[in-house]
Amino acid sequence: MRSNDKTLSIPAASVSVKTARKSKGKKAINRTPYLFVAPFLLVFIATIIIPVLMSLVFSFMEIGQEFKFVGIQNYIHLFDDPFFLKSYLNVFILMVGTIPVTVMLALFFAVLLNSPKVKAKGFFRTVYYIPTVTSMVAIATVFLTFYNPTGLFNTLLSMFNFDPVPWLTDPKWARVSLCISIIWMNTGYFTVLFLAGLQNISKEIYESASIDGASPVRQFFSITLPLVRPIMLLALILSTINGLNTFEIPSVLFGASYGPGGSTLMIGQYLYTTSFTNMDFGKASAVAWSMVLVAVFLSIIQFKVGGKDSE
Amino acid sequence: MNKKKQFITIILMVFVMTFSVACGKKENTSSGTDTKKLNKEERVKEAEIEVWAPKGKHTDYLLNAVDLYNKEYSTNLKLKTVDVAPADPMLQKVTPLLVAKNQLPELMYIQDQDMPNILKKFPDAFYDVTNFGFLEKHEKDFYDSKIEMMKFASNKKHLFAFPHDLGIVMAFYRDDLFKQVGIDYDKDIKTWDDLIEAGKKIKAATGKNTIGLEGNGDQYLLQTLMQQNGKPIVDKNGNVNLATDAGKTALDILDKFIKADLVSYYASATNKNDSYKDVAIIIHGSWYAGTIKNMFTDLQGKYKVGSVPALPKGDLGNVAVHGGSGWAVGKNSKNALAAMQLMEFATTNMESQTKLLELGVSSANTAVYETDFANQPDSYFSGDKLFLDILNDGKKSKPLYYYPHFVEVEKYGKLAMYDHWHGKDAEKALNDKASEVASMSGVKVNK
């Protein structure tokens, strides 16, 4: 009560001056961080936000010499083209074929590299990471020579008396070829990602588990896996987005042919063709936004399924 | 709640601004110059001309043309070349400028089959070469098929590029392999059936296959055979010919090669050279002669050039064409007039055109094939007069009708071939795909 009385005893003029100072100071403090982020924000708005919004606007337009608003016609026309849904089907088949294998292989290599018994970790880390920084076109070109009827893979198979495999001319094998190349290219990146996660797990947890008699396998399933779950979720989301964006490798392996019977046409290639071969920019923007929706939808599912305990 | 409202308001404002920017673009008025008037303008004495083209033979040809032009007219034109690959990479670079109505380069190397889509979306992108008076003066010098093809690229049936080259489909055959089994290609191979029989002998004697075939559907051979039959995949009215007897005949002929095990498969255009190097005959556009020379250097003197075999029954004497390109002049460019004047010279001056042949390009200008250079024997092709052979067949060539949906029909043709090679009846495969692509493109299926 006394303190209240004290406050009340402060003259009114003094209160108003203090409040003014306080509010002026607050404003000054609030402006500074905005000034710091402003340059980035302006560039971000100019180069990312506006183009993204423009592509959304374009998806409702027919674009040519003149811009014509066509409502949702571009989205409806997508479903008239059998290649649109086929390209999504191919992407999902590719995801099913690559994501689990890539994640499992990456985790396997990361656990191996994290072992104290492995020497020259830096060397191996670099070696595994090389495919990530190598040009995808170069990788695809090398794989193209391997997949040739008389290329490395069939030569190796013939050494073991196996029949040659039609790597690039049979729909099933064409997808396998694509999966092999993509798994090879992505495993290193996720290995390094998992390794960073593994190195953050305290050794004391493993030590106490050992004292309690947990075998290395039990330790992997009860300690390692739950603790790298956030990284795994990240890996799954990144792989899904990468899968949707697959473009270079099928383009080099199969050119404009989209693979046997259209079996390797990816949605990214479909977008490119719609845009730059058919010059239908409105429809291409609709394709791009369908990709955004699919990516968001799949990410939400992944968060719901795998993200509950990983926060 | 207030903050949320503010955020939504800001997003809406940005969206509305974006929408206004997108919709508010006005038609470019700087390109309104009438091409007919350009023809009467005085020769530009000094200008820099920017060219977008694949670096190499095409740009070398233009650099030479500029030198000749400057000497001829005492001008000081300069060429600035930018290396842009043809087809999609070129469209990828040109179309954003057209959408944004930004300044274009003066000259662009555009493939004939890409032109209809550009002109459909951007009818005012390039200067009208017909209105410039080019055809009036020079039409007779060019292949009829080339001019008709280029005219069909636009609704106005005018040329919107200067004609550059034309791929006449020729047979590049391994004379050494044919001779090994006692066959003289020129005398003994008249029809595709003759070729199949010769191929069987070559396979037995040397183990070599007769033709290379894209395993996922070979649109080049399909188109060649259909054009020979007088029915290109898209007809003069834009309707689809895949389901006609010409499509069926094409598949039947290719089936004979497959059944006789005379085919070397490849997966896509990217790796076709490996397959082509190992077969007795390459059926391809004449521009492939240069690729053969560059890629298969160890086979010098073993190849010869001939005509594509005729259809076994009722051949019409038609010669197929594959591809070709032209030089488009950007309307919204700085020195368009200088570029138009230069290209009229480059495509019709014999010294300039001879250089084009020297560089290995099959010019669309037939007059140049009468020069001494064109009549020289080509040592790579066992002394054959390559360009004379091209001209002789080229005169019988028929046009392709590059409607905007042409590329889609090509794709569906490939899919039909693939379906057939994997068990579907030829007629049904062709009918199904023809119907699909026709309904998508809003055209009819010819039977």
Side-chain angles (χ1 to χ4, degrees):
Chain A
M1 275 302 280
R2 275 183 190 171
S3 65
N4 276 351
D5 289 344
K6 251 188 182 176
T7 315
L8 287 171
S9 66
I10 296 169
S14 163
V15 171
S16 69
V17 169
K18 272 189 180 175
T19 314
R21 273 183 194 160
K22 202 177 172 183
S23 70
K24 198 178 176 186
K26 197 178 173 184
K27 269 186 189 168
I29 289 163
N30 282 346
R31 266 191 211 132
T32 318
Y34 290 112
L35 283 174
F36 278 116
V37 296
F40 163 77
L41 208 62
L42 286 174
V43 174
F44 183 73
I45 288 171
T47 60
I48 306 284
I49 300 291
I50 291 179
V52 165
L53 287 177
M54 279 182 90
S55 82
L56 181 61
V57 173
F58 286 168
S59 73
F60 299 103
M61 297 177 114
E62 193 188 313
I63 296 162
Q65 203 153 288
E66 287 160 13
F67 292 63
K68 194 176 141 195
F69 183 75
V70 291
I72 57 165
Q73 208 177 65
N74 287 327
Y75 289 91
I76 293 169
H77 280 172
L78 286 180
F79 294 93
D80 294 340
D81 186 350
F83 278 122
F84 173 67
L85 289 177
K86 179 147 195 164
S87 62
Y88 267 120
L89 176 73
N90 291 337
V91 167
F92 290 123
I93 292 172
L94 186 78
M95 282 177 181
V96 170
T98 56
I99 294 176
V101 181
T102 308
V103 171
M104 280 192 287
L105 275 177
L107 188 59
F108 173 74
F109 287 126
V111 170
L112 279 186
L113 286 177
N114 198 39
S115 161
K117 289 173 191 168
V118 174
K119 307 285 177 202
K121 281 180 192 168
F123 169 74
F124 284 112
R125 227 175 3 221
T126 311
V127 168
Y128 284 130
Y129 202 71
I130 283 174
T132 311
V133 290
T134 308
S135 150
M136 277 196 243
V137 174
I139 290 171
T141 309
V142 171
F143 270 98
L144 185 65
T145 62
F146 291 170
Y147 292 135
N148 259 342
T150 52
L152 177 73
F153 290 157
N154 277 347
T155 308
L156 287 174
L157 287 172
S158 69
M159 283 165 66
F160 297 99
N161 288 329
F162 285 105
D163 286 335
V165 168
W167 293 104
L168 302 174
T169 48
D170 176 88
K172 186 179 70 188
W173 286 109
R175 286 179 176 135
V176 171
S177 313
L178 208 53
C179 288
I180 292 173
S181 317
I182 288 170
I183 290 168
W184 184 85
M185 199 184 69
N186 288 342
T187 302
Y189 173 73
F190 291 115
T191 301
V192 173
L193 207 66
F194 277 122
L195 192 58
L198 290 175
Q199 283 169 347
N200 280 334
I201 301 173
S202 164
K203 282 177 186 166
E204 287 162 5
I205 303 172
Y206 289 106
E207 281 167 13
S208 57
S210 294
I211 292 164
D212 289 343
S215 67
V217 176
R218 178 69 193 270
Q219 285 177 31
F220 175 78
F221 283 105
S222 300
I223 300 169
T224 311
L225 261 190
L227 291 176
V228 294
R229 209 165 157 177
I231 304 284
M232 197 171 282
L233 185 66
L234 177 69
L236 286 173
I237 291 169
L238 289 177
S239 307
T240 307
I241 293 166
N242 283 347
L244 278 170
N245 290 332
T246 305
F247 181 83
E248 289 92 340
I249 292 186
S251 298
V252 173
L253 291 185
F254 303 99
S257 77
Y258 300 158
S263 59
T264 62
L265 169 67
M266 299 290 131
I267 188 69
Q269 290 174 290
Y270 180 80
L271 189 155
Y272 182 85
T273 311
T274 309
S275 209
F276 296 113
T277 306
N278 300 340
M279 301 192 65
D280 198 340
F281 301 107
K283 189 173 160 191
S285 300
V287 176
W289 275 92
S290 81
M291 288 170 74
V292 171
L293 292 178
V294 170
V296 169
F297 176 71
L298 290 177
S299 301
I300 288 172
I301 290 178
Q302 283 164 349
F303 267 114
K304 292 268 180 202
V305 174
K308 279 175 191 166
D309 305 324
S310 58
E311 285 163 11
Chain B
M1 196 59 192
N2 274 341
K3 277 185 182 172
K4 205 175 177 181
K5 271 185 184 170
Q6 274 177 354
F7 178 74
I8 291 168
T9 314
I10 290 168
I11 291 289
L12 280 174
M13 276 171 65
V14 174
F15 193 82
V16 169
M17 278 164 63
T18 313
F19 194 85
S20 320
V21 168
C23 300
K25 294 203 170 187
K26 285 178 188 168
E27 204 175 328
N28 186 9
T29 49
S30 68
S31 61
T33 322
D34 185 358
T35 322
K36 281 178 184 165
K37 285 180 191 164
L38 277 184
N39 195 19
K40 288 163 193 160
E41 295 278 335
E42 277 187 21
R43 198 161 292 281
V44 177
K45 289 290 174 193
E46 197 164 344
E48 186 184 71
I49 294 171
E50 188 172 324
V51 184
W52 288 3
K55 198 172 180 183
K57 52 192 177 186
H58 303 293
T59 48
D60 290 347
Y61 150 71
L62 279 188
L63 287 164
N64 177 68
V66 166
D67 286 343
L68 293 171
Y69 182 86
N70 284 336
K71 273 182 206 158
E72 178 83 20
Y73 298 108
S74 308
T75 51
N76 185 24
L77 297 192
K78 281 175 189 156
L79 215 61
K80 182 188 168 193
T81 59
V82 178
D83 187 15
V84 184
D88 288 352
M90 179 65 74
L91 298 179
Q92 198 178 336
K93 221 165 145 54
V94 171
T95 49
L97 300 183
L98 291 170
V99 172
K101 302 188 193 310
N102 285 345
Q103 190 174 296
L104 289 169
E106 280 78 14
L107 282 176
M108 285 148 282
Y109 173 91
I110 308 279
Q111 289 194 343
D112 292 342
Q113 73 169 35
D114 296 328
M115 198 53 122
N117 266 323
I118 302 180
L119 293 178
K120 185 185 169 191
K121 298 279 176 184
F122 307 98
D124 288 339
F126 309 129
Y127 271 113
D128 186 328
V129 171
T130 305
N131 280 350
F132 187 63
F134 181 82
L135 284 188
E136 232 170 87
K137 283 189 261 177
H138 308 291
E139 184 167 4
K140 61 180 188 320
D141 292 337
F142 291 86
Y143 286 119
D144 294 340
S145 55
K146 173 75 177 179
I147 298 298
E148 192 165 359
M149 272 163 72
M150 293 185 82
K151 279 181 183 173
F152 264 83
S154 83
N155 285 337
K156 289 170 77 178
K157 303 289 177 274
H158 280 201
L159 260 63
F160 282 84
F162 288 89
H164 180 54
D165 62 346
L166 180 64
I168 307 295
V169 179
M170 304 293 296
F172 302 98
Y173 61 92
R174 286 279 301 275
D175 193 41
D176 57 326
L177 297 180
F178 280 92
K179 278 196 175 138
Q180 214 171 319
V181 292
I183 293 172
D184 181 330
Y185 182 90
D186 279 338
K187 282 183 190 162
D188 302 329
I189 308 294
K190 298 294 176 205
T191 67
W192 284 91
D193 282 349
D194 295 338
L195 180 62
I196 292 164
E197 290 312 310
K200 286 176 188 169
K201 287 179 190 165
I202 291 171
K203 178 101 180 194
T206 68
K208 300 274 185 198
N209 286 317
T210 313
I211 55 167
L213 205 58
E214 188 170 340
N216 301 324
D218 197 310
Q219 47 131 335
Y220 284 111
L221 281 174
L222 175 71
Q223 287 197 46
T224 298
L225 287 157
M226 288 185 69
Q227 284 182 68
Q228 283 189 297
N229 222 333
K231 290 177 181 168
I233 56 169
V234 175
D235 77 2
K236 211 170 181 173
N237 300 313
N239 297 325
V240 180
N241 269 338
L242 285 177
T244 58
D245 56 334
K248 173 79 170 45
T249 305
L251 291 196
D252 287 347
I253 289 171
L254 294 177
D255 281 352
K256 288 181 192 170
F257 282 99
I258 294 166
K259 276 178 194 153
D261 191 22
L262 302 176
V263 169
S264 172
Y265 288 104
Y266 59 91
S268 73
T270 332
N271 61 351
K272 74 176 169 191
N273 290 339
D274 294 336
S275 158
Y276 278 2
K277 194 179 178 182
D278 213 34
V279 294
I281 191 166
I282 300 168
I283 309 284
H284 217 292
S286 47
W287 55 269
Y288 200 71
T291 309
I292 293 174
K293 281 183 184 177
N294 293 332
M295 297 288 295
F296 314 150
T297 46
D298 52 328
L299 294 175
Q300 168 149 12
K302 292 183 177 174
Y303 276 102
K304 279 178 87 77
V305 194
S307 300
V308 175
L311 293 171
K313 286 176 196 167
D315 189 75
L316 300 168
N318 294 331
V319 170
V321 291
H322 279 170
S325 51
W327 296 100
V329 178
K331 259 194 179 178
N332 191 10
S333 63
K334 270 188 202 165
N335 296 309
L337 177 60
M340 298 284 280
Q341 291 170 339
L342 169 69
M343 285 324 297
E344 181 177 11
F345 172 84
T347 52
T348 54
N349 175 275
M350 281 308 105
E351 215 175 322
S352 164
Q353 285 294 299
T354 305
K355 179 72 179 176
L356 189 62
L357 291 192
E358 279 175 39
L359 290 162
V361 180
S362 307
S363 172
N365 187 328
T366 54
V368 69
Y369 294 90
E370 284 159 22
T371 58
D372 289 343
F373 177 81
N375 284 285
Q376 282 173 9
D378 190 311
S379 62
Y380 184 92
F381 289 103
S382 319
D384 272 356
K385 291 178 178 175
L386 173 69
F387 291 113
L388 214 58
D389 288 338
I390 293 172
L391 176 71
N392 288 335
D393 278 17
K395 282 179 177 170
K396 293 177 265 176
S397 66
K398 297 291 169 198
L400 285 169
Y401 299 105
Y402 286 133
Y403 278 87
H405 57 280
F406 183 91
V407 181
E408 288 299 312
V409 181
E410 270 186 338
K411 264 186 229 160
Y412 279 76
K414 280 179 82 161
L415 289 172
M417 292 174 99
Y418 180 83
D419 288 347
H420 170 57
W421 293 342
H422 287 79
K424 204 168 183 176
D425 173 66
E427 218 167 308
K428 182 159 174 43
L430 290 164
N431 273 330
D432 288 354
K433 292 300 168 200
S435 304
E436 279 178 36
V437 72
S439 105
M440 241 177 61
S441 314
V443 292
K444 288 180 195 162
V445 176
N446 293 329
K447 296 280 180 187

